Amino acid sequence: MATEILMPALSPTMEEGTLAKWLVKEGDTVSSGDIMAEIETDKATMEFEAVDEGTIGKILIEEGTEGVKVNTPIAVLLEEGEDASDIDTAKSESASAPVPADKEQSSETAPAESKAHPEPQADVTPDWPEGTKLKQQTVREALRDGMAEEMRRDETVFIMGEEVAEYQGAYKITQGMLDEFGSKRVIDTPITEHGFAGIGVGAAFGGLKPIVEFMTWNFGMQAIDQIINSAAKTLYMSGGQMGAPMVFRGPNGAAARVGAQHSQDYAAWYMQVPGLKVAMPYSASDYKGLMKTAIRDPNPVIFLENEILYGRSFDVPDLDDYTVPFGKARIWREGEDVTIVSFGIGMTYALEAADKLAEDGIKAEVIDLRTLRPMDTGAIIRSVQKTNRLVTVEEGWPQGSVGNYISSVIMQEAFDYLDAPVINCTGKDVPMPYAANLEKHALVTTKEVIEAVHKVTYR
């Protein structure tokens, strides 16, 4: 029986297109996979393939026709032995044939059920008032100022960890704090993460607000039982009677040639744990503002820093009490062609890629999550509704990555807006090599982000 060839939906959001060019003519024989036409949308020109074998019996829509609605018949395909006289018969039969009473309607014949997506909620207010005086600070300085301001504000706040006092911090984050606050509030500990993390949890149970520094989060694995089973779960397990208002902080992820055991990115690990909040800032202002918010939060907070970022300078608002709320992403760059989402040092690659893509005429919107739990998925969805494409960037491993979670959210909440698959740019699926040349290959790169964007934009 003659079959109508319908105008295809070449993307989930496509409603109409231009039938730019026919690559077959009436009487031509086609097989499955043969290119029959070129169809233009507002985003791209794509080829349309045959899905069945047969002969082109009649072309219903001339090439060059604009505004052809999806599912409009554009041609008729004849089976072997049929001729043009079968076309009208097929059309009348298909139009009048009812669904048998004893057979349920299939997804092909049943009327489509319309479902509205909930409008994503996103806080787009600026982080500081317009006209606020700004000053340049390194991440190291901003982080120290955030902790010191909270220690002046609240006597129950103290910091403990290896070399935080006499040596003023392995990375000089606590420089000057021992002199100001004394040895009861800036406390050197032995090299025993499980021990001093446990002391910190107990102090939090007792009403204090400890900041527990790990020299790196890799060493924090010694204390993971205290962090997850004691700090994160006690508020729930005690029925709300006691919790752990505290901050666990330190450098996370790769530095430079420190080997596999000192280079892991724990963002996805801790992001999974109910009872924890997780921050991983990029800029100095966010290090300061999020640290102050973390110290005030009644829940245990995982604060993931980066050794390479400590010495970088950014604008920081010169305000008496500057804080950044958890769960609010920051849009560093607006764009309309693709959304790039990252956090922490991954923002370096995202912003560099956006600058180079702009030279090719691709306008990328760059979103810094800042906190991973809670995560501002509303900001991502709103952006994807505009750009229809998404690339995520992080240094962690690919399996079970933060980008994997973001992809699942977009699939559930914004699938109809996607014009291309989501691509997750991550570190490679290997332990971090020590050799400098191999370490470079193991990390995500700006080039890889650019290539991912070209894939999803078809440019």
Side-chain angles (χ1 to χ4, degrees):
M1 187 177 72
T3 304
E4 290 181 337
I5 300 172
L6 305 181
M7 182 70 166
L10 300 176
S11 76
T13 56
M14 178 179 167
E15 297 180 355
E16 63 181 27
T18 298
L19 208 164
K21 183 179 181 180
W22 279 108
L23 301 177
V24 295
K25 60 183 183 298
E26 293 180 4
D28 284 356
T29 300
V30 296
S31 299
S32 177
D34 289 349
I35 307 299
M36 294 198 300
E38 292 181 355
I39 294 174
E40 289 182 6
T41 69
D42 59 337
K43 300 179 177 67
T45 299
M46 289 176 269
E47 296 174 334
F48 175 43
E49 298 180 357
V51 295
D52 295 306
E53 296 181 355
T55 302
I56 302 296
K58 188 172 184 178
I59 290 177
L60 304 176
I61 303 293
E62 296 296 323
E63 65 180 39
T65 304
E66 299 179 355
V68 182
K69 298 291 185 182
V70 169
N71 291 332
T72 300
I74 59 175
V76 177
L77 186 69
L78 301 174
E79 294 182 358
E80 186 178 354
E82 293 181 327
D83 57 34
S85 63
D86 295 308
I87 294 174
D88 292 335
T89 303
K91 291 173 68 176
S92 62
E93 286 180 358
S94 64
S96 60
V99 178
D102 62 345
K103 184 172 181 175
E104 293 184 4
Q105 290 183 321
S106 71
S107 60
E108 299 292 330
T109 58
E113 181 183 352
S114 176
K115 291 186 178 180
H117 287 282
E119 190 64 26
Q121 300 297 312
D123 184 353
V124 294
T125 57
D127 287 338
W128 53 78
E130 187 176 353
T132 299
K133 181 182 177 182
L134 302 176
K135 59 183 179 182
Q136 280 275 303
Q137 274 195 308
T138 63
V139 165
R140 177 182 289 107
E141 293 165 340
L143 186 56
R144 178 203 61 211
D145 286 356
M147 292 190 293
E149 287 176 16
E150 291 305 298
M151 289 177 72
R152 296 182 194 114
R153 175 180 169 272
D154 185 345
E155 291 184 352
T156 65
V157 180
F158 70 98
I159 185 166
M160 63 191 303
E162 297 158 2
E163 299 184 346
V164 300
E166 296 291 342
Y167 191 66
Q168 304 190 77
Y171 305 98
K172 300 303 181 231
I173 304 298
T174 50
Q175 193 164 24
M177 294 179 70
L178 175 63
D179 293 338
E180 180 175 355
F181 299 106
S183 60
K184 288 188 176 182
R185 297 182 67 195
V186 183
I187 304 169
D188 276 332
T189 66
I191 304 174
T192 171
E193 286 78 11
H194 184 268
F196 67 75
I199 291 172
V201 173
F205 288 166
L208 300 179
K209 296 179 181 177
I211 304 169
V212 175
E213 177 183 307
F214 298 122
M215 192 175 293
T216 89
W217 272 98
N218 302 277
F219 303 152
M221 288 185 70
Q222 303 291 330
I224 202 165
D225 179 63
Q226 297 286 5
I227 295 168
I228 295 176
N229 281 329
S230 296
K233 297 177 182 177
T234 297
L235 183 67
Y236 173 80
M237 295 178 69
S238 68
Q241 296 180 73
M242 61 190 251
M246 61 189 305
V247 178
F248 297 97
R249 55 156 293 267
N252 169 70
R257 297 192 69 197
V258 291
Q261 294 173 324
H262 293 179
S263 300
Q264 290 177 200
D265 182 352
Y266 291 91
W269 292 46
Y270 288 109
M271 183 188 77
Q272 295 182 336
V273 182
L276 294 177
K277 292 189 176 180
V278 182
M280 190 165 169
Y282 165 63
S283 69
S285 62
D286 289 338
Y287 268 89
K288 180 179 182 179
L290 288 170
M291 175 54 71
K292 288 168 67 70
T293 300
I295 293 170
R296 298 179 191 183
D297 199 284
N299 301 284
V301 177
I302 303 296
F303 205 89
L304 303 172
E305 302 160 15
N306 186 275
E307 181 182 339
I308 293 173
L309 291 177
Y310 281 150
R312 293 192 187 174
S313 296
F314 298 84
D315 285 335
V316 177
D318 192 3
L319 297 171
D320 290 337
D321 188 23
Y322 175 69
T323 61
V324 175
F326 284 175
K328 179 186 176 185
R330 177 178 179 178
I331 300 175
W332 277 80
R333 184 183 185 123
E334 294 190 352
E336 57 193 32
D337 296 324
V338 62
T339 300
I340 304 176
V341 175
S342 191
F343 51 93
I345 197 169
M347 285 295 299
T348 303
Y349 312 111
L351 291 169
E352 286 177 357
D355 288 340
K356 293 181 180 179
L357 288 163
E359 297 173 5
D360 297 331
I362 298 175
K363 299 175 183 177
E365 183 148 292
V366 182
I367 297 177
D368 179 2
L369 291 176
R370 303 198 285 195
T371 62
L372 305 178
R373 190 180 185 104
M375 183 185 291
D376 190 357
T377 54
I380 305 172
I381 294 169
R382 281 169 60 99
S383 182
V384 170
Q385 286 176 339
K386 176 174 65 172
T387 67
N388 310 117
R389 296 166 172 88
L390 175 62
V391 172
T392 67
V393 185
E394 63 192 290
E395 281 196 343
W397 289 316
Q399 188 164 325
S401 66
V402 177
N404 288 174
Y405 172 71
I406 294 171
S407 299
S408 71
V409 171
I410 295 302
M411 286 294 289
Q412 293 178 29
E413 303 294 336
F415 177 78
D416 291 344
Y417 292 94
L418 288 174
D419 284 346
V422 178
I423 294 182
N424 304 140
C425 294
T426 67
K428 308 310 179 292
D429 198 17
V430 295
M432 184 63 68
Y434 174 75
N437 58 331
L438 297 178
E439 181 182 59
K440 183 178 179 181
H441 288 297
L443 292 167
V444 65
T445 66
T446 300
K447 181 181 177 182
E448 289 169 352
V449 179
I450 293 171
E451 289 173 349
V453 169
H454 281 301
K455 285 182 180 179
V456 300
T457 57
Y458 307 113
R459 299 191 196 176

